[in-house]
Amino acid sequence: MPPSETLVAGPATAAVRGIAQMAMFAALVAVLGQPFAIPVVAGVPITLQTLGVMLAGAILGPWRGAGAMVLLHALVVAGLPLLAQGSGGLGVYAGPTAGFALGWIPAALVVGALTQWRWPLAWWRTALSVALGGIGVIYACGIPVMAYQLGLTLPQATAATAAFLPGDLAKAVIAVLITHALVKAYPAPFSWARRRGAPAR
């Protein structure tokens, strides 16, 4: 193959791979919301979907991780039943769960940016990223919307979300373990971090 064709094929192959990875993690998050949704606060459910969000950011990096969540929401808007308990369509964005679901986009971005800040990945940075992005960012987006939709004050809505915290902390631990197990077994998806390389000494 001539050098010019190689240069064209490389970025094209990377783009196809990136789209496939985003589609895979969008599907993962959708699947994690189907059999495991347990309504807790006025219909706002506990699901495993935030685990998928954490993994999308940590493994794919900020842009592909967030892109996976954008893709998921685009499919939901189109009417596919991909959110918790098979919900979909524009109507889901008028309910108390809307802020939490939309928060997946910035959450994956933050998780990816912090986790893959440098290569090799650091356990402490991954743990910090899934806590700040996978929990903090999602709560910051979800609590105000839930408060508005349910007629609660922000302190009341914040207190109501305490039921979610133990499960989210457990999911954060699982996300860290899976991420670092995958780093050792198959580091290819961590391309954003590997391009950044190790810090200068």
Side-chain angles (χ1 to χ4, degrees):
M1 178 181 293
S4 59
E5 293 183 19
T6 303
L7 291 174
V8 172
T13 302
V16 171
R17 185 184 303 115
I19 292 170
Q21 290 171 343
M22 288 188 288
M24 181 178 67
F25 274 88
L28 173 65
V29 174
V31 168
L32 289 176
Q34 303 312 313
F36 305 107
I38 304 172
V40 176
V41 181
V44 180
I46 290 178
T47 75
L48 293 177
Q49 288 184 297
T50 49
L51 172 60
V53 176
M54 295 173 188
L55 290 173
I59 294 170
L60 299 185
W63 305 116
R64 290 181 180 178
M69 299 305 103
V70 170
L71 174 60
L72 175 63
H73 281 294
L75 295 174
V76 170
V77 168
L80 295 183
L82 302 180
L83 295 185
Q85 298 174 309
S87 56
L90 281 172
V92 300
Y93 298 102
T97 63
F100 292 102
L102 289 171
W104 296 347
I105 299 171
L109 185 71
V110 170
V111 171
L114 293 178
T115 298
Q116 297 201 26
W117 185 253
R118 291 293 184 188
W119 184 262
L121 304 191
W123 283 88
W124 68 268
R125 196 166 54 240
T126 306
L128 179 64
S129 75
V130 296
L132 290 179
I135 299 176
V137 170
I138 293 176
Y139 280 33
C141 295
I143 289 173
V145 175
M146 187 180 78
Y148 175 78
Q149 292 290 346
L150 299 180
L152 303 174
T153 65
L154 283 177
Q156 288 172 333
T158 302
T161 59
F164 301 110
L165 191 56
D168 286 334
L169 290 172
K171 284 179 277 187
V173 171
I174 294 170
V176 173
L177 294 175
I178 292 175
T179 297
H180 283 267
L182 188 59
V183 165
K184 295 179 179 179
Y186 184 60
F190 300 88
S191 57
W192 197 75
R194 290 189 291 111
R195 283 196 302 269
R196 296 175 66 84
R201 295 183 181 274

PDB file of all heavy atoms in Angstrom, residues 31-71:
ATOM      1  N   VAL A  31     -28.375  -1.749  28.543  1.00  0.00           N
ATOM      2  CA  VAL A  31     -28.644  -3.081  29.094  1.00  0.00           C
ATOM      3  C   VAL A  31     -28.661  -3.049  30.621  1.00  0.00           C
ATOM      4  O   VAL A  31     -29.495  -3.702  31.262  1.00  0.00           O
ATOM      5  CB  VAL A  31     -27.595  -4.089  28.582  1.00  0.00           C
ATOM      6  CG1 VAL A  31     -27.667  -5.397  29.365  1.00  0.00           C
ATOM      7  CG2 VAL A  31     -27.795  -4.347  27.105  1.00  0.00           C
ATOM      8  N   LEU A  32     -27.776  -2.274  31.219  1.00  0.00           N
ATOM      9  CA  LEU A  32     -27.689  -2.230  32.682  1.00  0.00           C
ATOM     10  C   LEU A  32     -28.905  -1.573  33.329  1.00  0.00           C
ATOM     11  O   LEU A  32     -29.072  -1.663  34.541  1.00  0.00           O
ATOM     12  CB  LEU A  32     -26.417  -1.486  33.104  1.00  0.00           C
ATOM     13  CG  LEU A  32     -25.103  -2.218  32.840  1.00  0.00           C
ATOM     14  CD1 LEU A  32     -23.908  -1.332  33.210  1.00  0.00           C
ATOM     15  CD2 LEU A  32     -25.041  -3.528  33.609  1.00  0.00           C
ATOM     16  N   GLY A  33     -29.739  -0.909  32.535  1.00  0.00           N
ATOM     17  CA  GLY A  33     -30.933  -0.282  33.096  1.00  0.00           C
ATOM     18  C   GLY A  33     -32.179  -1.123  32.990  1.00  0.00           C
ATOM     19  O   GLY A  33     -33.233  -0.731  33.492  1.00  0.00           O
ATOM     20  N   GLN A  34     -32.093  -2.283  32.354  1.00  0.00           N
ATOM     21  CA  GLN A  34     -33.313  -3.042  32.099  1.00  0.00           C
ATOM     22  C   GLN A  34     -33.736  -3.950  33.260  1.00  0.00           C
ATOM     23  O   GLN A  34     -34.792  -3.752  33.835  1.00  0.00           O
ATOM     24  CB  GLN A  34     -33.168  -3.837  30.794  1.00  0.00           C
ATOM     25  CG  GLN A  34     -32.848  -2.973  29.580  1.00  0.00           C
ATOM     26  CD  GLN A  34     -33.752  -1.760  29.454  1.00  0.00           C
ATOM     27  OE1 GLN A  34     -34.965  -1.861  29.576  1.00  0.00           O
ATOM     28  NE2 GLN A  34     -33.164  -0.595  29.208  1.00  0.00           N
ATOM     29  N   PRO A  35     -32.940  -4.927  33.668  1.00  0.00           N
ATOM     30  CA  PRO A  35     -33.447  -5.859  34.686  1.00  0.00           C
ATOM     31  C   PRO A  35     -33.161  -5.429  36.118  1.00  0.00           C
ATOM     32  O   PRO A  35     -33.580  -6.099  37.049  1.00  0.00           O
ATOM     33  CB  PRO A  35     -32.692  -7.145  34.358  1.00  0.00           C
ATOM     34  CG  PRO A  35     -31.389  -6.672  33.816  1.00  0.00           C
ATOM     35  CD  PRO A  35     -31.650  -5.354  33.132  1.00  0.00           C
ATOM     36  N   PHE A  36     -32.426  -4.321  36.294  1.00  0.00           N
ATOM     37  CA  PHE A  36     -31.950  -4.003  37.640  1.00  0.00           C
ATOM     38  C   PHE A  36     -32.508  -2.685  38.172  1.00  0.00           C
ATOM     39  O   PHE A  36     -31.932  -2.100  39.074  1.00  0.00           O
ATOM     40  CB  PHE A  36     -30.420  -3.934  37.644  1.00  0.00           C
ATOM     41  CG  PHE A  36     -29.758  -5.169  37.112  1.00  0.00           C
ATOM     42  CD1 PHE A  36     -29.152  -5.168  35.871  1.00  0.00           C
ATOM     43  CD2 PHE A  36     -29.770  -6.335  37.840  1.00  0.00           C
ATOM     44  CE1 PHE A  36     -28.539  -6.306  35.366  1.00  0.00           C
ATOM     45  CE2 PHE A  36     -29.158  -7.485  37.354  1.00  0.00           C
ATOM     46  CZ  PHE A  36     -28.549  -7.470  36.115  1.00  0.00           C
ATOM     47  N   ALA A  37     -33.599  -2.170  37.608  1.00  0.00           N
ATOM     48  CA  ALA A  37     -34.130  -0.883  38.039  1.00  0.00           C
ATOM     49  C   ALA A  37     -35.060  -1.071  39.236  1.00  0.00           C
ATOM     50  O   ALA A  37     -36.059  -1.782  39.164  1.00  0.00           O
ATOM     51  CB  ALA A  37     -34.876  -0.205  36.897  1.00  0.00           C
ATOM     52  N   ILE A  38     -34.724  -0.417  40.347  1.00  0.00           N
ATOM     53  CA  ILE A  38     -35.526  -0.504  41.566  1.00  0.00           C
ATOM     54  C   ILE A  38     -35.973   0.903  41.939  1.00  0.00           C
ATOM     55  O   ILE A  38     -35.159   1.721  42.373  1.00  0.00           O
ATOM     56  CB  ILE A  38     -34.709  -1.107  42.727  1.00  0.00           C
ATOM     57  CG1 ILE A  38     -34.145  -2.478  42.322  1.00  0.00           C
ATOM     58  CG2 ILE A  38     -35.570  -1.224  43.982  1.00  0.00           C
ATOM     59  CD1 ILE A  38     -33.176  -3.053  43.335  1.00  0.00           C
ATOM     60  N   PRO A  39     -37.269   1.242  41.769  1.00  0.00           N
ATOM     61  CA  PRO A  39     -37.731   2.592  42.119  1.00  0.00           C
ATOM     62  C   PRO A  39     -37.520   2.868  43.599  1.00  0.00           C
ATOM     63  O   PRO A  39     -37.830   2.037  44.451  1.00  0.00           O
ATOM     64  CB  PRO A  39     -39.218   2.557  41.757  1.00  0.00           C
ATOM     65  CG  PRO A  39     -39.351   1.442  40.768  1.00  0.00           C
ATOM     66  CD  PRO A  39     -38.325   0.418  41.181  1.00  0.00           C
ATOM     67  N   VAL A  40     -36.988   4.056  43.899  1.00  0.00           N
ATOM     68  CA  VAL A  40     -36.690   4.409  45.284  1.00  0.00           C
ATOM     69  C   VAL A  40     -37.382   5.708  45.682  1.00  0.00           C
ATOM     70  O   VAL A  40     -38.203   5.726  46.592  1.00  0.00           O
ATOM     71  CB  VAL A  40     -35.163   4.540  45.505  1.00  0.00           C
ATOM     72  CG1 VAL A  40     -34.870   5.011  46.920  1.00  0.00           C
ATOM     73  CG2 VAL A  40     -34.482   3.203  45.264  1.00  0.00           C
ATOM     74  N   VAL A  41     -37.051   6.820  45.015  1.00  0.00           N
ATOM     75  CA  VAL A  41     -37.571   8.127  45.395  1.00  0.00           C
ATOM     76  C   VAL A  41     -38.521   8.610  44.313  1.00  0.00           C
ATOM     77  O   VAL A  41     -38.100   9.014  43.228  1.00  0.00           O
ATOM     78  CB  VAL A  41     -36.427   9.149  45.576  1.00  0.00           C
ATOM     79  CG1 VAL A  41     -36.983  10.501  46.002  1.00  0.00           C
ATOM     80  CG2 VAL A  41     -35.422   8.645  46.601  1.00  0.00           C
ATOM     81  N   ALA A  42     -39.824   8.549  44.571  1.00  0.00           N
ATOM     82  CA  ALA A  42     -40.843   9.057  43.650  1.00  0.00           C
ATOM     83  C   ALA A  42     -40.606   8.578  42.222  1.00  0.00           C
ATOM     84  O   ALA A  42     -40.700   9.341  41.264  1.00  0.00           O
ATOM     85  CB  ALA A  42     -40.885  10.575  43.700  1.00  0.00           C
ATOM     86  N   GLY A  43     -40.284   7.307  42.090  1.00  0.00           N
ATOM     87  CA  GLY A  43     -40.088   6.748  40.753  1.00  0.00           C
ATOM     88  C   GLY A  43     -38.675   6.856  40.219  1.00  0.00           C
ATOM     89  O   GLY A  43     -38.379   6.313  39.153  1.00  0.00           O
ATOM     90  N   VAL A  44     -37.787   7.568  40.907  1.00  0.00           N
ATOM     91  CA  VAL A  44     -36.382   7.637  40.483  1.00  0.00           C
ATOM     92  C   VAL A  44     -35.721   6.329  40.914  1.00  0.00           C
ATOM     93  O   VAL A  44     -35.650   6.037  42.102  1.00  0.00           O
ATOM     94  CB  VAL A  44     -35.658   8.842  41.110  1.00  0.00           C
ATOM     95  CG1 VAL A  44     -34.202   8.871  40.655  1.00  0.00           C
ATOM     96  CG2 VAL A  44     -36.357  10.140  40.742  1.00  0.00           C
ATOM     97  N   PRO A  45     -35.234   5.518  39.959  1.00  0.00           N
ATOM     98  CA  PRO A  45     -34.784   4.172  40.313  1.00  0.00           C
ATOM     99  C   PRO A  45     -33.295   4.081  40.613  1.00  0.00           C
ATOM    100  O   PRO A  45     -32.491   4.883  40.147  1.00  0.00           O
ATOM    101  CB  PRO A  45     -35.110   3.364  39.055  1.00  0.00           C
ATOM    102  CG  PRO A  45     -34.894   4.355  37.950  1.00  0.00           C
ATOM    103  CD  PRO A  45     -35.289   5.710  38.500  1.00  0.00           C
ATOM    104  N   ILE A  46     -32.954   3.065  41.383  1.00  0.00           N
ATOM    105  CA  ILE A  46     -31.565   2.631  41.489  1.00  0.00           C
ATOM    106  C   ILE A  46     -31.317   1.656  40.340  1.00  0.00           C
ATOM    107  O   ILE A  46     -32.065   0.687  40.162  1.00  0.00           O
ATOM    108  CB  ILE A  46     -31.303   1.934  42.832  1.00  0.00           C
ATOM    109  CG1 ILE A  46     -31.343   2.947  43.980  1.00  0.00           C
ATOM    110  CG2 ILE A  46     -29.956   1.228  42.818  1.00  0.00           C
ATOM    111  CD1 ILE A  46     -31.144   2.322  45.346  1.00  0.00           C
ATOM    112  N   THR A  47     -30.303   1.915  39.545  1.00  0.00           N
ATOM    113  CA  THR A  47     -29.942   1.015  38.449  1.00  0.00           C
ATOM    114  C   THR A  47     -28.428   0.825  38.438  1.00  0.00           C
ATOM    115  O   THR A  47     -27.707   1.485  39.190  1.00  0.00           O
ATOM    116  CB  THR A  47     -30.371   1.579  37.075  1.00  0.00           C
ATOM    117  OG1 THR A  47     -29.483   2.643  36.704  1.00  0.00           O
ATOM    118  CG2 THR A  47     -31.803   2.082  37.101  1.00  0.00           C
ATOM    119  N   LEU A  48     -27.971  -0.042  37.550  1.00  0.00           N
ATOM    120  CA  LEU A  48     -26.538  -0.222  37.342  1.00  0.00           C
ATOM    121  C   LEU A  48     -26.016   0.661  36.217  1.00  0.00           C
ATOM    122  O   LEU A  48     -24.848   0.554  35.833  1.00  0.00           O
ATOM    123  CB  LEU A  48     -26.244  -1.689  37.034  1.00  0.00           C
ATOM    124  CG  LEU A  48     -26.493  -2.687  38.168  1.00  0.00           C
ATOM    125  CD1 LEU A  48     -26.218  -4.107  37.692  1.00  0.00           C
ATOM    126  CD2 LEU A  48     -25.650  -2.356  39.380  1.00  0.00           C
ATOM    127  N   GLN A  49     -26.868   1.537  35.683  1.00  0.00           N
ATOM    128  CA  GLN A  49     -26.461   2.313  34.521  1.00  0.00           C
ATOM    129  C   GLN A  49     -25.296   3.251  34.805  1.00  0.00           C
ATOM    130  O   GLN A  49     -24.450   3.474  33.937  1.00  0.00           O
ATOM    131  CB  GLN A  49     -27.652   3.089  33.962  1.00  0.00           C
ATOM    132  CG  GLN A  49     -28.654   2.163  33.272  1.00  0.00           C
ATOM    133  CD  GLN A  49     -29.795   2.900  32.625  1.00  0.00           C
ATOM    134  OE1 GLN A  49     -30.576   3.568  33.283  1.00  0.00           O
ATOM    135  NE2 GLN A  49     -29.904   2.773  31.316  1.00  0.00           N
ATOM    136  N   THR A  50     -25.241   3.808  36.018  1.00  0.00           N
ATOM    137  CA  THR A  50     -24.120   4.700  36.315  1.00  0.00           C
ATOM    138  C   THR A  50     -22.786   3.957  36.336  1.00  0.00           C
ATOM    139  O   THR A  50     -21.736   4.549  36.080  1.00  0.00           O
ATOM    140  CB  THR A  50     -24.329   5.436  37.645  1.00  0.00           C
ATOM    141  OG1 THR A  50     -24.707   4.498  38.663  1.00  0.00           O
ATOM    142  CG2 THR A  50     -25.414   6.489  37.517  1.00  0.00           C
ATOM    143  N   LEU A  51     -22.811   2.658  36.612  1.00  0.00           N
ATOM    144  CA  LEU A  51     -21.590   1.857  36.481  1.00  0.00           C
ATOM    145  C   LEU A  51     -21.107   1.878  35.037  1.00  0.00           C
ATOM    146  O   LEU A  51     -19.910   2.039  34.770  1.00  0.00           O
ATOM    147  CB  LEU A  51     -21.844   0.419  36.942  1.00  0.00           C
ATOM    148  CG  LEU A  51     -20.715  -0.593  36.681  1.00  0.00           C
ATOM    149  CD1 LEU A  51     -19.439  -0.181  37.394  1.00  0.00           C
ATOM    150  CD2 LEU A  51     -21.155  -1.994  37.111  1.00  0.00           C
ATOM    151  N   GLY A  52     -22.034   1.739  34.097  1.00  0.00           N
ATOM    152  CA  GLY A  52     -21.670   1.812  32.689  1.00  0.00           C
ATOM    153  C   GLY A  52     -21.125   3.167  32.296  1.00  0.00           C
ATOM    154  O   GLY A  52     -20.194   3.266  31.485  1.00  0.00           O
ATOM    155  N   VAL A  53     -21.685   4.229  32.875  1.00  0.00           N
ATOM    156  CA  VAL A  53     -21.200   5.586  32.597  1.00  0.00           C
ATOM    157  C   VAL A  53     -19.767   5.746  33.090  1.00  0.00           C
ATOM    158  O   VAL A  53     -18.901   6.285  32.392  1.00  0.00           O
ATOM    159  CB  VAL A  53     -22.122   6.632  33.251  1.00  0.00           C
ATOM    160  CG1 VAL A  53     -21.566   8.041  33.052  1.00  0.00           C
ATOM    161  CG2 VAL A  53     -23.528   6.543  32.685  1.00  0.00           C
ATOM    162  N   MET A  54     -19.513   5.284  34.311  1.00  0.00           N
ATOM    163  CA  MET A  54     -18.163   5.355  34.861  1.00  0.00           C
ATOM    164  C   MET A  54     -17.165   4.607  33.987  1.00  0.00           C
ATOM    165  O   MET A  54     -16.068   5.097  33.695  1.00  0.00           O
ATOM    166  CB  MET A  54     -18.139   4.767  36.279  1.00  0.00           C
ATOM    167  CG  MET A  54     -18.940   5.530  37.310  1.00  0.00           C
ATOM    168  SD  MET A  54     -18.998   4.605  38.883  1.00  0.00           S
ATOM    169  CE  MET A  54     -20.182   5.559  39.831  1.00  0.00           C
ATOM    170  N   LEU A  55     -17.552   3.407  33.557  1.00  0.00           N
ATOM    171  CA  LEU A  55     -16.663   2.598  32.732  1.00  0.00           C
ATOM    172  C   LEU A  55     -16.443   3.232  31.359  1.00  0.00           C
ATOM    173  O   LEU A  55     -15.334   3.178  30.819  1.00  0.00           O
ATOM    174  CB  LEU A  55     -17.230   1.189  32.580  1.00  0.00           C
ATOM    175  CG  LEU A  55     -17.209   0.319  33.841  1.00  0.00           C
ATOM    176  CD1 LEU A  55     -17.954  -0.981  33.602  1.00  0.00           C
ATOM    177  CD2 LEU A  55     -15.777   0.045  34.290  1.00  0.00           C
ATOM    178  N   ALA A  56     -17.491   3.827  30.796  1.00  0.00           N
ATOM    179  CA  ALA A  56     -17.354   4.472  29.489  1.00  0.00           C
ATOM    180  C   ALA A  56     -16.299   5.572  29.537  1.00  0.00           C
ATOM    181  O   ALA A  56     -15.418   5.652  28.675  1.00  0.00           O
ATOM    182  CB  ALA A  56     -18.692   5.033  29.030  1.00  0.00           C
ATOM    183  N   GLY A  57     -16.376   6.425  30.556  1.00  0.00           N
ATOM    184  CA  GLY A  57     -15.397   7.490  30.678  1.00  0.00           C
ATOM    185  C   GLY A  57     -14.006   6.969  30.983  1.00  0.00           C
ATOM    186  O   GLY A  57     -13.026   7.378  30.349  1.00  0.00           O
ATOM    187  N   ALA A  58     -13.915   6.049  31.944  1.00  0.00           N
ATOM    188  CA  ALA A  58     -12.609   5.563  32.387  1.00  0.00           C
ATOM    189  C   ALA A  58     -11.882   4.806  31.286  1.00  0.00           C
ATOM    190  O   ALA A  58     -10.658   4.918  31.149  1.00  0.00           O
ATOM    191  CB  ALA A  58     -12.776   4.673  33.622  1.00  0.00           C
ATOM    192  N   ILE A  59     -12.602   4.042  30.477  1.00  0.00           N
ATOM    193  CA  ILE A  59     -11.978   3.186  29.471  1.00  0.00           C
ATOM    194  C   ILE A  59     -11.813   3.896  28.125  1.00  0.00           C
ATOM    195  O   ILE A  59     -10.764   3.786  27.486  1.00  0.00           O
ATOM    196  CB  ILE A  59     -12.793   1.889  29.304  1.00  0.00           C
ATOM    197  CG1 ILE A  59     -12.728   1.062  30.605  1.00  0.00           C
ATOM    198  CG2 ILE A  59     -12.277   1.061  28.123  1.00  0.00           C
ATOM    199  CD1 ILE A  59     -13.679  -0.112  30.648  1.00  0.00           C
ATOM    200  N   LEU A  60     -12.822   4.636  27.712  1.00  0.00           N
ATOM    201  CA  LEU A  60     -12.778   5.276  26.397  1.00  0.00           C
ATOM    202  C   LEU A  60     -12.136   6.655  26.416  1.00  0.00           C
ATOM    203  O   LEU A  60     -11.783   7.175  25.363  1.00  0.00           O
ATOM    204  CB  LEU A  60     -14.193   5.393  25.812  1.00  0.00           C
ATOM    205  CG  LEU A  60     -14.953   4.095  25.582  1.00  0.00           C
ATOM    206  CD1 LEU A  60     -16.278   4.393  24.894  1.00  0.00           C
ATOM    207  CD2 LEU A  60     -14.136   3.111  24.765  1.00  0.00           C
ATOM    208  N   GLY A  61     -11.988   7.247  27.600  1.00  0.00           N
ATOM    209  CA  GLY A  61     -11.490   8.613  27.664  1.00  0.00           C
ATOM    210  C   GLY A  61     -12.623   9.617  27.598  1.00  0.00           C
ATOM    211  O   GLY A  61     -13.786   9.245  27.411  1.00  0.00           O
ATOM    212  N   PRO A  62     -12.321  10.901  27.727  1.00  0.00           N
ATOM    213  CA  PRO A  62     -13.384  11.903  27.877  1.00  0.00           C
ATOM    214  C   PRO A  62     -14.286  12.050  26.665  1.00  0.00           C
ATOM    215  O   PRO A  62     -15.515  12.116  26.810  1.00  0.00           O
ATOM    216  CB  PRO A  62     -12.610  13.195  28.160  1.00  0.00           C
ATOM    217  CG  PRO A  62     -11.237  12.957  27.614  1.00  0.00           C
ATOM    218  CD  PRO A  62     -10.984  11.497  27.807  1.00  0.00           C
ATOM    219  N   TRP A  63     -13.716  12.114  25.457  1.00  0.00           N
ATOM    220  CA  TRP A  63     -14.525  12.444  24.286  1.00  0.00           C
ATOM    221  C   TRP A  63     -15.335  11.257  23.802  1.00  0.00           C
ATOM    222  O   TRP A  63     -16.533  11.403  23.496  1.00  0.00           O
ATOM    223  CB  TRP A  63     -13.636  13.011  23.178  1.00  0.00           C
ATOM    224  CG  TRP A  63     -12.844  14.181  23.660  1.00  0.00           C
ATOM    225  CD1 TRP A  63     -11.484  14.277  23.776  1.00  0.00           C
ATOM    226  CD2 TRP A  63     -13.362  15.418  24.165  1.00  0.00           C
ATOM    227  NE1 TRP A  63     -11.128  15.494  24.303  1.00  0.00           N
ATOM    228  CE2 TRP A  63     -12.259  16.216  24.546  1.00  0.00           C
ATOM    229  CE3 TRP A  63     -14.647  15.924  24.321  1.00  0.00           C
ATOM    230  CZ2 TRP A  63     -12.409  17.489  25.085  1.00  0.00           C
ATOM    231  CZ3 TRP A  63     -14.802  17.200  24.859  1.00  0.00           C
ATOM    232  CH2 TRP A  63     -13.690  17.968  25.225  1.00  0.00           C
ATOM    233  N   ARG A  64     -14.718  10.092  23.746  1.00  0.00           N
ATOM    234  CA  ARG A  64     -15.481   8.919  23.325  1.00  0.00           C
ATOM    235  C   ARG A  64     -16.458   8.483  24.413  1.00  0.00           C
ATOM    236  O   ARG A  64     -17.554   7.998  24.108  1.00  0.00           O
ATOM    237  CB  ARG A  64     -14.538   7.783  22.944  1.00  0.00           C
ATOM    238  CG  ARG A  64     -13.775   8.045  21.650  1.00  0.00           C
ATOM    239  CD  ARG A  64     -12.855   6.907  21.279  1.00  0.00           C
ATOM    240  NE  ARG A  64     -12.129   7.190  20.041  1.00  0.00           N
ATOM    241  CZ  ARG A  64     -11.231   6.393  19.510  1.00  0.00           C
ATOM    242  NH1 ARG A  64     -10.922   5.251  20.109  1.00  0.00           N
ATOM    243  NH2 ARG A  64     -10.624   6.728  18.379  1.00  0.00           N
ATOM    244  N   GLY A  65     -16.064   8.628  25.673  1.00  0.00           N
ATOM    245  CA  GLY A  65     -16.983   8.293  26.748  1.00  0.00           C
ATOM    246  C   GLY A  65     -18.228   9.169  26.715  1.00  0.00           C
ATOM    247  O   GLY A  65     -19.358   8.682  26.791  1.00  0.00           O
ATOM    248  N   ALA A  66     -18.027  10.483  26.596  1.00  0.00           N
ATOM    249  CA  ALA A  66     -19.162  11.393  26.493  1.00  0.00           C
ATOM    250  C   ALA A  66     -19.940  11.149  25.207  1.00  0.00           C
ATOM    251  O   ALA A  66     -21.176  11.217  25.186  1.00  0.00           O
ATOM    252  CB  ALA A  66     -18.682  12.843  26.551  1.00  0.00           C
ATOM    253  N   GLY A  67     -19.212  10.828  24.122  1.00  0.00           N
ATOM    254  CA  GLY A  67     -19.872  10.535  22.856  1.00  0.00           C
ATOM    255  C   GLY A  67     -20.789   9.335  22.952  1.00  0.00           C
ATOM    256  O   GLY A  67     -21.864   9.306  22.330  1.00  0.00           O
ATOM    257  N   ALA A  68     -20.389   8.331  23.721  1.00  0.00           N
ATOM    258  CA  ALA A  68     -21.242   7.160  23.920  1.00  0.00           C
ATOM    259  C   ALA A  68     -22.547   7.546  24.592  1.00  0.00           C
ATOM    260  O   ALA A  68     -23.623   7.040  24.248  1.00  0.00           O
ATOM    261  CB  ALA A  68     -20.498   6.110  24.749  1.00  0.00           C
ATOM    262  N   MET A  69     -22.474   8.474  25.548  1.00  0.00           N
ATOM    263  CA  MET A  69     -23.684   8.906  26.240  1.00  0.00           C
ATOM    264  C   MET A  69     -24.552   9.785  25.343  1.00  0.00           C
ATOM    265  O   MET A  69     -25.789   9.714  25.398  1.00  0.00           O
ATOM    266  CB  MET A  69     -23.316   9.662  27.523  1.00  0.00           C
ATOM    267  CG  MET A  69     -22.521   8.841  28.545  1.00  0.00           C
ATOM    268  SD  MET A  69     -23.339   7.299  29.018  1.00  0.00           S
ATOM    269  CE  MET A  69     -22.394   6.096  28.058  1.00  0.00           C
ATOM    270  N   VAL A  70     -23.923  10.610  24.511  1.00  0.00           N
ATOM    271  CA  VAL A  70     -24.690  11.405  23.539  1.00  0.00           C
ATOM    272  C   VAL A  70     -25.425  10.476  22.578  1.00  0.00           C
ATOM    273  O   VAL A  70     -26.607  10.686  22.255  1.00  0.00           O
ATOM    274  CB  VAL A  70     -23.766  12.371  22.770  1.00  0.00           C
ATOM    275  CG1 VAL A  70     -24.507  13.017  21.606  1.00  0.00           C
ATOM    276  CG2 VAL A  70     -23.218  13.445  23.709  1.00  0.00           C
ATOM    277  N   LEU A  71     -24.730   9.445  22.111  1.00  0.00           N
ATOM    278  CA  LEU A  71     -25.350   8.477  21.206  1.00  0.00           C
ATOM    279  C   LEU A  71     -26.539   7.798  21.876  1.00  0.00           C
ATOM    280  O   LEU A  71     -27.609   7.643  21.268  1.00  0.00           O
ATOM    281  CB  LEU A  71     -24.312   7.439  20.789  1.00  0.00           C
ATOM    282  CG  LEU A  71     -24.829   6.253  19.956  1.00  0.00           C
ATOM    283  CD1 LEU A  71     -25.456   6.735  18.658  1.00  0.00           C
ATOM    284  CD2 LEU A  71     -23.697   5.267  19.683  1.00  0.00           C
TER     285      LEU A  71
END
